[in-house]
Every structure is written in structure tokens, then in C-alpha cells.
Amino acid sequence: MLANYLIGLREGLEAGLIVGILIAYLGKLGRRDLLGRLWVGVGIAVAVSAGVGALLTWGPYAMTFEAQEILGGALSILAVALVTWMIFWMATHGAGLSKELRSQVDAAVDRSWLAIVVLGALAVGREGIETALFVWANVSGGSDPVLGTAGALLGILTAVAISWGISRGLVRINLSVFFTWTGLFLILVAAGVLAYGIGDLQEAGVIPGGDLHAYSLVAAVPPGSWYGTLLTGIFNFTPEPSWAQVVVWVAYVAVTMSLYLVMLRRRQPAGRVASSGERVESRTPALGTALRA
């Protein structure tokens, strides 16, 4: 539940900040008459995301076991690819997000009325579809799908409340720190989803070696134990993984975590202290101030 809560919170907060920036800029332009079209686009994005989640949940039941495993494995790998792209995209584009969105609004205002609808749908739809796909992939490997789904919904609702508070100046949060640490956490969650997807493909016979277990932790982490359930729900922990799952997990974490940490280090000169003792602000994503800009 915790992993899905943080997924919903992070993705929901991204979407909420984007919508807040768009609303604030339309107000600055004196075009609040276009807000209705923007909300239509946001509504379309939410509906499409919910539809994707429903299709992923109930669609595979008519398929054979092998087909379900192949679909589940392929979608798990796709979900990992999307969330990895999202983590690195936010790390590199966060600082210029407000400027980028404003240029898109300027271009949309000069076009047809449909352009604002499309802008709202695309701005929120990407976050929504990523959330639906990654939460589904994570829940499908967990022990309690209902609890996992509830965690994601609770995270989204929390994000809505925080976004509203930021837009009203009632909430102050260091978004740079938030996205940095959740990015690190999601890399570990994504590694578990990737290993689970490899396991699905092995069960379907697409990848060999499903019966070759690298090790067994059943004695240390018994099935049904509270800590085993917790590890499974958060990280898709498998007590008897195959060699392919272990190799993929280690390789993904090693490569992705290293690249992410290098990117964070390059983004630093974080908070140097001037000779007079005055703190110099770091060059980090200023998404919080964008809503009030």
C-alpha cells in the first residue's frame, strides 16, 4: 500500500502542479474564459486514465493463462520504462517546467478553441496513464490488490489537497527534496516490478530458466508473515527468485540508481554559503513558486 500511495502522491502532485501553473497563467493573460475548456481536457484525461485502469484490471480475464502471463510481463516492463522515464524527465525538466507550459499556453491561445482542451488532456493524461499502468503492475504482484488500489487513490487525493494548498499559499513544501527522494524510492519499486514481469514471462515460457532459483529465503521470510507481506506489497519481493529475476533486478538498480545519483550531483551547487554568511539558493526545480508566479 505504501508504494502505491507514494506513486499516486507523486504523480498526482505532478499533475496538480501542472494544472495549477496552467490556471495561474491563463489568469495572468486575462483569459479565464478558457478555464472551462482546460477543465474539459483535464476531465478527458481522468476518464481515459480510469478507462486504462479498468481495461487492465478486467480485460485479461477472457485470455488463456499463457496469454495473461505474457501480457502481464510485457505491461510490467512497459510500466517500468515509463516510470523510469518520468523520474529522469522530472529531474532534468523540473526547473523549466513553468516556462515550458506557459509557451504551450501561448501557442494554444492563438489557435482554435480545441487547442486548450488538448493541452489540458495531454498535460494530465500522461501522468494519469503512467499512474494507472504502474499501479496495476505493482498491484498485480502484491498480495492485496484492494489495499494497493486504495493506497494509490489515497495518494492521489492527498496530492489534490496539497496542490490546492500550494495554490492558495497555505502549504509550503520543498518539492525538489520530495521528488528527489521519491525518485530514489521508486527506482527500488520499479526494480521489483521489472523482476515480477520477468517472472511472468518465465511462467509463460517466453523466457527460460523459471525453475532455476538463485536462492531461497522462505525460511527467513515465511509466506504469509507480516514482514513478507509488507516487502511483497512495497517492493514485489520474491522469496525464491530465478536467476534471470536476480540479474535483471541488480542490473536495473545498479545502472538506474548510478545515473540518477550522477544527475543529482550535477544539479547541485545546492545551497552554497556566501562569504558574508548569506545562503545562496540552489538551482533546483522551483515548481512551488511557479504556481504563484
Side-chain angles (χ1 to χ4, degrees), residues 136-190:
W136 173 84
N138 198 37
V139 165
S140 63
S143 57
D144 194 337
V146 175
L147 191 62
T149 303
L153 292 176
L154 184 60
I156 292 172
L157 292 176
T158 304
V160 171
I162 292 175
S163 298
W164 180 84
I166 291 175
S167 68
R168 293 292 185 272
L170 303 176
V171 175
R172 291 184 178 275
I173 180 173
N174 190 324
L175 294 169
S176 176
V177 173
F178 171 80
F179 285 120
T180 295
W181 284 103
T182 55
L184 291 169
F185 179 79
L186 286 181
I187 287 174
L188 297 177
V189 175

Side-chain angles (χ1 to χ4, degrees), residues 153-242:
L153 292 176
L154 184 60
I156 292 172
L157 292 176
T158 304
V160 171
I162 292 175
S163 298
W164 180 84
I166 291 175
S167 68
R168 293 292 185 272
L170 303 176
V171 175
R172 291 184 178 275
I173 180 173
N174 190 324
L175 294 169
S176 176
V177 173
F178 171 80
F179 285 120
T180 295
W181 284 103
T182 55
L184 291 169
F185 179 79
L186 286 181
I187 287 174
L188 297 177
V189 175
V193 172
L194 181 59
Y196 180 82
I198 295 298
D200 276 351
L201 295 178
Q202 287 184 313
E203 289 186 15
V206 176
I207 298 177
D211 296 329
L212 301 176
H213 299 299
Y215 53 81
S216 177
L217 296 177
V218 173
V221 187
S225 61
W226 68 267
Y227 47 92
T229 302
L230 184 65
L231 289 173
T232 300
I234 297 176
F235 300 111
N236 272 276
F237 169 78
T238 303
E240 293 184 323
S242 67

Side-chain angles (χ1 to χ4, degrees), residues 96-173:
L97 181 59
S98 178
K99 182 179 179 180
E100 182 178 336
L101 288 172
R102 292 181 184 192
S103 65
Q104 292 177 7
V105 170
D106 289 335
V109 167
D110 294 334
R111 298 175 190 166
S112 66
W113 66 271
L114 187 61
I116 291 292
V117 176
V118 173
L119 177 60
L122 292 179
V124 178
R126 184 194 67 188
E127 314 295 339
I129 293 175
E130 283 178 2
T131 303
L133 185 57
F134 195 65
V135 167
W136 173 84
N138 198 37
V139 165
S140 63
S143 57
D144 194 337
V146 175
L147 191 62
T149 303
L153 292 176
L154 184 60
I156 292 172
L157 292 176
T158 304
V160 171
I162 292 175
S163 298
W164 180 84
I166 291 175
S167 68
R168 293 292 185 272
L170 303 176
V171 175
R172 291 184 178 275
I173 180 173

Side-chain angles (χ1 to χ4, degrees), residues 235-256:
F235 300 111
N236 272 276
F237 169 78
T238 303
E240 293 184 323
S242 67
W243 278 106
Q245 288 178 296
V246 172
V247 169
V248 165
W249 192 96
V250 171
Y252 175 84
V253 171
V255 173
T256 308

